[in-house]
Amino acid sequence: MALKTIMNSQELKLMKTEVTRFMMAYKFALDEVNTKIDILKQEFQYIHEYNPIEHVESRLKSFESILEKISRKNYELSLPSIKENIRDIAGIRITCSFISDIYQISEMLQNQKDIQTLTVKDYIHSPKPNGYQSLHLVLQVPVFMSDREEHVCIEVQIRTIAMDFWASLEHKIFYKYNRAVPEKLLLELKDAAVTAAQLDQKMERLHKEMNKLKASANEEESSIEWFIENERLSVPLGLLASLPNL
């Protein structure tokens, strides 16, 4: 009886270690992608003097939540099964300023050499029936552990401020309501999504028009302004012309 208890204790310890390593791989994958996003954000700020990313949020499902989903979906209860079937254990949400920013950020992430794109779901061109809009990517990221290389899936959602506002309030309105929602409320919700989409389109047009005006104004100026570490530096065009390789 004592031997059996010791064996069970050892098995439990081994299981805990494997689960911990499993979850750590997803945490490290989140750290890697967040670092990539931060690099892109800083590059835009310093080189292009424009930041398309408003804010970034990341989350890691609890193991209890993962087990609940495995049970609900009737998948095999094993770590390989979880890794194969649950693609949203690690998630990142990027909120952008404009619709065009969404696709630009998406393209730059997918072009990273060590990232593999598994799925792309465009709910902007094809919104969900309730009006939900966002761009969903499932990316596979390599994580180098002490004794192994893991390839971990991360779900990335990219949306505008208006899309995020609508989705956040929709979640709060219907959170933990397990009954059928009245048709009238569903129609009003979808109408609100259409209004948010129209706002996005209008702001996109204004953004493009302002960019044209700025480009036209820059052509008429005799100097160029650079921003280095948030400090403005005005450089005369004559000086730039005298520099080599420019």
Side-chain angles (χ1 to χ4, degrees), residues 59 87-88 90-92 136-139 153-157:
R59 64 104 184 96
R87 298 293 181 89
D88 63 345
I92 294 177
H136 289 199
L137 310 174
V138 175
L139 306 177
C153 290
I154 290 185
E155 183 187 59
V156 180
Q157 299 178 1

Side-chain angles (χ1 to χ4, degrees), residues 53 69 75 128 148 155 168 182 207 246:
I53 300 175
K69 188 167 185 177
Y75 295 134
K128 289 186 177 182
R148 70 182 81 175
E155 183 187 59
S168 297
H207 177 56
L246 290 179

Side-chain angles (χ1 to χ4, degrees), residues 164-198:
D164 188 58
F165 172 77
W166 181 93
S168 297
L169 293 188
E170 187 268 350
H171 177 74
K172 289 182 178 179
I173 289 170
F174 296 111
Y175 182 63
K176 288 190 176 180
Y177 186 78
N178 298 320
R179 301 180 182 179
V181 179
E183 185 68 21
K184 179 178 180 296
L185 293 181
L186 293 177
L187 291 174
E188 289 188 17
L189 180 68
K190 188 168 185 177
D191 183 62
V194 171
T195 301
Q198 291 172 342

Side-chain angles (χ1 to χ4, degrees), residues 187-221:
L187 291 174
E188 289 188 17
L189 180 68
K190 188 168 185 177
D191 183 62
V194 171
T195 301
Q198 291 172 342
L199 175 62
D200 265 335
Q201 292 166 5
K202 180 175 291 187
M203 298 307 289
E204 182 80 29
R205 287 196 297 270
L206 289 172
H207 177 56
K208 290 180 178 179
E209 286 297 321
M210 282 305 302
N211 281 342
K212 290 179 181 178
L213 291 174
K214 290 176 184 177
S216 177
N218 286 338
E219 290 179 358
E220 299 174 0
E221 295 195 6

Side-chain angles (χ1 to χ4, degrees), residues 65-160:
S65 177
I66 295 170
L67 292 179
E68 188 276 331
K69 188 167 185 177
I70 278 284
S71 176
R72 190 175 69 251
K73 298 286 187 178
N74 292 319
Y75 295 134
E76 178 189 344
L77 183 58
S78 68
L79 293 182
S81 174
I82 292 173
K83 184 176 181 180
E84 176 66 26
N85 295 298
I86 309 299
R87 298 293 181 89
D88 63 345
I89 294 175
I92 294 177
R93 181 181 302 153
I94 305 172
T95 305
C96 295
S97 307
F98 303 99
I99 296 174
S100 56
D101 295 333
I102 292 176
Y103 294 101
Q104 189 170 18
I105 293 297
S106 170
E107 182 179 2
M108 288 189 294
L109 279 176
Q110 293 186 68
N111 284 340
Q112 298 274 336
K113 291 184 178 180
D114 57 345
I115 286 181
Q116 181 181 357
T117 304
L118 300 184
T119 64
V120 178
K121 294 182 179 179
D122 192 338
Y123 296 116
I124 300 172
H125 288 156
S126 302
K128 289 186 177 182
N130 66 347
Y132 173 87
Q133 294 191 61
S134 185
L135 183 68
H136 289 199
L137 310 174
V138 175
L139 306 177
Q140 191 174 68
V141 184
V143 176
F144 298 93
M145 310 289 281
S146 61
D147 61 346
R148 70 182 81 175
E149 177 183 348
E150 298 281 357
H151 292 270
V152 178
C153 290
I154 290 185
E155 183 187 59
V156 180
Q157 299 178 1
I158 315 176
R159 57 180 67 160
T160 63

